[in-house]
Amino acid sequence: MNINISDEHCPLRRTLEIIGGKWTMLIIFQINERTIRYGELKRCIVGISEKMLISQLKFLCDKGFVHKKSFAEIPPKVEYTLTDIGKELLPVINQLIQFGLNHKF
Amino acid sequence: MNINISDEHCPLRRTLEIIGGKWTMLIIFQINERTIRYGELKRCIVGISEKMLISQLKFLCDKGFVHKKSFAEIPPKVEYTLTDIGKELLPVINQLIQFGLNHKF
DNA sequence: ACAAGTACCTACCAAAAGGTAGGGTACTTA
DNA sequence: TAAGTACCCTACCTTTTGGTAGGTACTTGT
């Protein structure tokens, strides 16, 4: 791959605009291959606020990385899964994790 | 890899704290395998301000991802290269680029 | 003489991101 | 009756991030 000038259309920038947020990759990784409810997700990601989790989940749904299934029950029940496109990010995230495991900065 | 609860010590968070910035991966990718001067780097990354480029380069040097070589010349000449650790990030970045090429969101 | 290139630095300010704290609903459990 | 669960929403405020505009020092080209 040869190195082009990085302008606003370069694929790296476009990707980072989507998944460059503080919580995005964390959320995608925690959903992973499973079906997970909102509440469990929140407990898995220590320190995230409800506002951030909700807004990021909505964002990821809009972008087609996450699928949301609401059940018309009381108390409410909502399940999240990764779409096929979302799952494509898992290998990248695993590499980042591996990098973190290999190095202490 | 089983999914642990993501707290402040999880390797993904630690990695993202380093390379999660707006410009970090762009800079690392542009340096790539080459030896590049400050000015050329700036021209390659369209839209970055001098302040950001300088501060991020310093940060990446401090963390050991980038090596800096200054020449005692007039006009000044400074060359940047990736360290071995920095180069370990290139495959991850290439995957992100590939992802960006495959999808238009 | 003066602008431009070269690699920075600093102070100040604007924008974006994220956190806090409150609200709401409808049901269950103590 | 009160508290707790579950999944949100909104307004407000703080923190972080990044941009702008100025400066340095020295040299070369016009």
Side-chain angles (χ1 to χ4, degrees):
Chain A
M1 185 175 308
N2 64 339
I3 309 166
N4 296 309
I5 287 187
S6 165
D7 60 15
E8 57 277 16
H9 303 299
C10 102
L12 183 51
R13 280 200 201 194
R14 293 195 306 110
T15 305
L16 290 175
E17 270 165 33
I18 303 291
I19 55 152
K22 183 176 177 182
W23 300 107
T24 325
M25 294 215 219
L26 260 357
I27 294 170
I28 290 172
F29 177 70
Q30 283 295 328
I31 301 179
N32 218 287
E33 305 278 0
R34 49 189 177 171
T35 296
I36 192 169
R37 294 185 63 179
Y38 169 82
E40 192 186 354
L41 200 47
K42 177 163 167 40
R43 282 186 295 273
C44 286
I45 303 172
V46 177
I48 196 170
S49 65
E50 295 202 332
K51 171 190 160 184
M52 275 298 110
L53 183 51
I54 290 288
S55 70
Q56 294 296 83
L57 282 169
K58 185 183 284 182
F59 176 79
L60 290 170
C61 286
D62 290 349
K63 293 294 177 182
F65 296 99
V66 167
H67 178 252
K68 173 179 181 172
K69 184 171 184 186
S70 300
F71 295 81
E73 295 176 7
I74 294 294
K77 177 178 172 182
V78 182
E79 287 179 349
Y80 293 94
T81 45
L82 292 184
T83 63
D84 289 342
I85 297 173
K87 283 180 187 163
E88 283 180 42
L89 286 165
L90 291 175
V92 195
I93 295 176
N94 281 322
Q95 276 195 268
L96 290 170
I97 291 172
Q98 206 50 50
F99 188 87
L101 289 170
N102 292 343
H103 305 287
K104 21 220 143 300
F105 353 89
Chain B
M1 184 175 307
N2 63 339
I3 309 166
N4 295 308
I5 286 187
S6 166
D7 61 15
E8 57 276 16
H9 304 298
C10 103
L12 183 52
R13 279 199 202 196
R14 294 195 305 109
T15 305
L16 290 175
E17 271 166 31
I18 303 292
I19 55 151
K22 182 175 176 183
W23 300 106
T24 326
M25 295 215 219
L26 260 358
I27 294 170
I28 290 172
F29 178 70
Q30 283 295 328
I31 301 180
N32 219 287
E33 306 276 358
R34 49 189 178 171
T35 296
I36 192 167
R37 294 185 63 178
Y38 170 81
E40 192 186 352
L41 199 48
K42 178 163 165 39
R43 282 187 294 274
C44 286
I45 304 171
V46 177
I48 196 170
S49 66
E50 296 202 333
K51 171 188 159 184
M52 276 297 110
L53 183 51
I54 290 289
S55 69
Q56 293 297 85
L57 282 170
K58 185 183 284 182
F59 177 78
L60 289 170
C61 285
D62 289 349
K63 293 293 177 182
F65 296 99
V66 167
H67 178 252
K68 173 178 180 172
K69 185 171 182 186
S70 300
F71 295 82
E73 297 176 4
I74 295 292
K77 177 178 174 182
V78 182
E79 287 180 349
Y80 293 95
T81 45
L82 292 185
T83 63
D84 289 342
I85 298 173
K87 283 179 187 165
E88 283 181 42
L89 287 165
L90 291 176
V92 195
I93 295 175
N94 281 322
Q95 275 195 269
L96 290 170
I97 291 172
Q98 206 51 51
F99 187 86
L101 289 170
N102 292 343
H103 305 287
K104 22 220 145 302
F105 351 90

